[in-house]
Amino acid sequence: MTGARDGPEDPAATRVGSRPPGRDRASATAPTAAAPTRTAAVRRWSVRAALPLSLGLWLLSLRSVPLDRMRDLGLLQVLPPLFWIAAALLTFGFCLALSDRRTHSAWLTGYVFGLIALLHATPTLLYPTLRYSWAWKHLAVVDAMLRHGGEVPHADRFSIYNDWPGFFQLNALFLRATGLDSAVGYAAWAPAFANALLLAPLLLLYRSVTRDRRLVWGAVWIFYSCSWVGQDYFAPQTFAFLLFMTVIAVLFRQLPSSALPRPDPRRRGGWPPPLLAGVVVLVAAIVVSHPLTPLMLISALTALSLPRRNRRVALPVLTAAVALTALWDATVARSYISVHITNLVRSLVQPDENVASGLASTGNAAPGQILLSWIDRGLSAAVIVLAVAAFVVRPWTRRTGLPLLAVAPIPLLAANAYGGEMLFRAYLFTLPSAAFLVGALLLPSGARQRASRPLVVYPLFLALLGGLVFGYYGKEAVNRYTPGEVAAARYVTDHAPPGSTIVTLTSDVPGLDMGYEQHRRIQLAHQSTKDTERLVRHPLAGVTAFLYGATEKQPAYVVLSRAQDMNGYLTGTLPADTSQRMRAAMAAAPGFTLVYADEDAVVYRYVTPPPGGGTP
């Protein structure tokens, strides 16, 4: 960047103008041009070498990771130093690539995909089974909808999925078309795949508000470095968020303030009919797949409609989103809405409690989990503070519409607790616009921006990435399942007759929800305070209170496993020895039969003993 541009501005260069052109002038300018050329070549080859080298180190670091040693900090405490060296080198290579305007976009794309692989493919490569209990639950829903050809009867706590079945029906259609038996094979790769797909709408969104390539890619990197919430697994929210971002990105492409040239320069706003029809189809897919995302979309479109210049673009989509959501909620989802309308109304008058519900108490949690909670909060607060600072010191960002998009989730944050997760979901929907604002603050556009600026912010990029891995990897001691735990759950689902009762301490048993419409599930840690206190004082009485009436035709099964024990330890919901005391009590109690045993899981079958304590 210091070659031809700096030459004419050098006073020494102007003084040689009186000399006759020839060998002397060429020899005077050659040394000045050679140094930048060599520097540029070194930088270019460094960019090309850092990416494959960092990815190679990352893969080497995964060869021997002692997963059984995970405790308070999950993967953080077992990943070897080579992993962190790879992450630091990858970040440095990206900053180096960003500092050179001649770096081809393919290399920037490669670095971002490398970051996605390092962050989101690591658990998939390390674990022999699918991670995270909710991913297993969603597999069970797809399986149930396949077996019933649609709506699942007697769904109980899973009835919400009958009212928003889009994601599950799409997967069922894919399984029928491919002949696969289950989605478990590709569900494990959902985090990496979903994040990779998200890159396209992010690029379209950012390129719609600036032509500064450095800022666009810097904002993309910041987004992936701060997305700690973990809503990227095999879930309707993952699918709906990807569609949400696609709708918003295409909409920004049509806004009058878009930095991208329009296909028809004579059009001063509005939609080409085919494109609007496609966007409405995406909105419909969101509406039928997830209860919260349509409301987030309506809130975002309402905010973007506030400036008059945007209304020709935003209002048609907003009208479609409101109409489709109202129609769906009044018909298909009416059963769920009617039951929960009282809670919704109560939430509207308690906005402070809705916000506070996301800040869960950490008093009984493990020390490492308390640390993780504060780091998560600190990273989120840092992103918001930096975004606000950009709004103040970068006036041009106020005209982009991104600040409106960033504050759009606030009304929903105050309106509903969403099971204590609304604060996290609001951060998720705020992050795409907030990441761009942070990028605008750290990587200012214009002629004054120095090539070395990305290298200056390298420590901050590392800090953001460090905050992310705490939130994203810190609970892996619970999210990871061993083959023995999967086998224990499969034993129960294969042998439990319809109408059986299945009892666990927590929900952390992979695959136990298969056939959920046929069985009664009880999670002891989630019962009333009176019931959990009885379980702690008298484990046998605490579990048998939920088992009376079990017969040979409809027995009860009690499943205890490593992940459940770890959940109790990390959250502090139950004493660490609860599972061990339960095993000892059931082993000597009438009616209980040990039917499966593994170093990571045990299953007891229970049939109520007849009066007098004889054999049932």
Side-chain angles (χ1 to χ4, degrees):
M1 306 305 295
T2 58
R5 178 177 298 179
D6 291 344
E9 297 176 357
D10 187 353
T14 59
R15 285 195 298 268
V16 299
S18 58
R19 299 178 184 177
R23 182 178 304 175
D24 290 342
R25 184 173 182 178
S27 61
T29 57
T32 358
T37 302
R38 287 195 298 268
T39 302
V42 170
R43 178 175 299 192
R44 183 169 61 253
W45 285 107
S46 298
V47 167
R48 296 178 179 181
L51 178 59
L53 179 59
S54 60
L55 294 180
L57 294 177
W58 163 59
L59 292 174
L60 285 175
S61 72
L62 304 183
R63 290 184 305 170
S64 56
V65 179
L67 298 176
D68 291 336
R69 298 181 187 176
M70 286 195 291
R71 297 289 290 177
D72 293 30
L73 298 179
L75 274 176
L76 294 177
Q77 63 195 106
V78 297
L79 286 171
L82 197 58
F83 177 89
W84 307 111
I85 293 173
L89 179 60
L90 184 72
T91 306
F92 179 77
F94 175 78
C95 290
L96 202 61
L98 210 60
S99 66
D100 189 351
R101 294 185 182 276
R102 291 168 294 185
T103 300
H104 196 279
S105 295
W107 285 102
L108 295 169
T109 305
Y111 272 101
V112 171
F113 279 147
L115 178 66
I116 292 171
L118 184 142
L119 291 175
H120 303 291
T122 292
T124 303
L125 293 174
L126 287 177
Y127 303 165
T129 66
L130 176 66
R131 68 191 279 263
Y132 197 45
S133 62
W134 280 98
W136 284 95
K137 288 178 173 63
H138 296 153
L139 288 178
V141 177
V142 174
D143 174 77
M145 288 189 175
L146 272 173
R147 286 186 285 105
H148 291 280
E151 183 174 339
V152 182
H154 312 297
D156 194 23
R157 68 194 188 283
F158 285 144
S159 61
I160 186 174
Y161 299 127
N162 287 334
D163 296 333
W164 284 276
F167 169 78
F168 304 102
Q169 290 290 2
L170 181 63
N171 278 276
L173 179 63
F174 178 78
L175 292 178
R176 292 192 192 99
T178 58
L180 296 174
D181 295 329
S182 171
V184 67
Y186 63 83
W189 290 98
F193 187 64
N195 279 283
L197 289 179
L198 196 57
L199 178 59
L202 282 174
L203 288 175
L204 180 58
L205 174 63
Y206 296 158
R207 286 172 176 169
S208 296
V209 297
T210 182
R211 295 185 180 183
D212 187 338
R213 190 181 68 152
R214 185 178 299 175
L215 175 53
V216 167
W217 285 100
V220 165
W221 188 272
I222 291 170
F223 172 85
Y224 285 115
S225 297
C226 297
S227 185
W228 65 266
V229 176
Q231 282 295 329
D232 54 11
Y233 62 98
F234 185 73
Q237 175 68 96
T238 304
F239 175 67
F241 182 69
L242 177 61
L243 296 181
F244 170 91
M245 286 302 304
T246 303
V247 170
I248 293 297
V250 174
L251 183 141
F252 264 76
R253 169 70 177 85
Q254 301 301 313
L255 289 178
S257 58
S258 176
L260 291 176
R262 291 191 179 82
D264 184 359
R266 296 169 296 179
R267 186 167 51 83
R268 299 181 58 191
W271 291 90
L275 184 58
L276 179 59
V279 169
V280 171
V281 170
L282 294 180
V283 172
I286 294 173
V287 169
V288 304
S289 298
H290 196 249
L292 176 63
T293 307
L295 303 181
M296 286 289 187
L297 180 61
I298 291 172
S299 184
L301 294 172
T302 302
L304 292 172
S305 299
L306 294 179
R308 181 174 297 180
R309 65 181 183 274
N310 293 346
R311 291 175 185 171
R312 292 186 63 182
V313 174
L315 284 180
V317 186
L318 174 60
T319 303
V322 171
L324 290 171
T325 302
L327 178 64
W328 187 263
D329 290 351
T331 54
V332 179
R334 182 179 179 181
S335 58
Y336 182 87
I337 297 294
S338 60
V339 171
H340 293 84
I341 190 66
T342 304
N343 294 334
L344 176 61
V345 174
R346 186 184 303 117
S347 296
L348 290 174
V349 297
Q350 297 174 334
D352 55 334
E353 293 187 12
N354 298 332
V355 176
S357 66
L359 301 174
S361 172
T362 57
N364 296 323
Q369 293 298 296
I370 297 176
L371 174 64
L372 293 178
S373 176
W374 283 108
I375 291 177
D376 292 344
R377 298 174 188 181
L379 176 60
S380 304
V383 170
I384 301 304
V385 169
L386 291 173
V388 171
F391 181 82
V392 173
V393 304
R394 304 281 185 256
W396 68 270
T397 61
R398 304 170 198 171
R399 302 187 297 271
T400 63
L402 288 176
L404 292 172
L405 190 63
V407 301
I410 292 178
L412 290 175
L413 178 61
N416 197 288
Y418 202 68
E421 292 190 4
M422 185 59 81
L423 191 61
F424 306 138
R425 303 300 173 95
Y427 176 80
L428 173 69
F429 283 88
T430 295
L431 184 58
S433 48
F436 181 87
L437 295 174
V438 174
L441 179 69
L442 301 179
L443 302 167
S445 303
R448 292 185 179 182
Q449 179 177 323
R450 296 182 178 179
S452 61
R453 182 75 181 190
L455 296 178
V456 173
V457 300
Y458 170 65
L460 182 57
F461 277 17
L462 276 185
L464 294 175
L465 191 58
L468 167 79
V469 294
F470 272 88
Y472 198 77
Y473 287 160
K475 298 183 183 297
E476 288 305 299
V478 172
N479 294 339
R480 160 191 168 252
Y481 300 113
T482 65
E485 292 174 277
V486 175
R490 181 167 296 175
Y491 176 90
V492 175
T493 56
D494 287 347
H495 291 82
S500 299
T501 299
I502 301 176
V503 179
T504 58
L505 286 176
T506 69
S507 63
D508 302 289
V509 184
L512 201 57
D513 291 304
M514 285 293 177
Y516 60 86
E517 78 279 16
Q518 302 174 7
H519 307 127
R520 176 175 172 240
R521 278 290 305 273
I522 297 173
Q523 298 169 22
L524 299 177
H526 300 158
Q527 302 303 313
S528 67
T529 303
K530 180 180 178 180
D531 289 330
T532 54
E533 288 177 351
R534 177 175 55 192
L535 177 68
V536 172
R537 291 195 307 267
H538 306 290
L540 187 61
V543 67
T544 53
F546 297 94
L547 304 182
Y548 288 123
T551 65
E552 284 289 348
K553 292 185 177 180
Q554 293 183 332
Y557 292 85
V558 181
V559 184
L560 302 175
S561 61
R562 180 205 60 83
Q564 295 182 82
D565 297 344
M566 189 60 67
N567 182 295
Y569 164 70
L570 294 181
T571 61
T573 54
L574 290 171
D577 64 344
T578 300
S579 176
Q580 183 179 359
R581 294 172 61 213
M582 285 180 62
R583 297 187 190 196
M586 289 187 295
F592 288 94
T593 304
L594 181 64
V595 293
Y596 178 89
D598 180 87
E599 61 179 354
D600 294 317
V602 296
V603 178
Y604 282 89
R605 182 177 181 270
Y606 177 80
V607 175
T608 303
T615 303

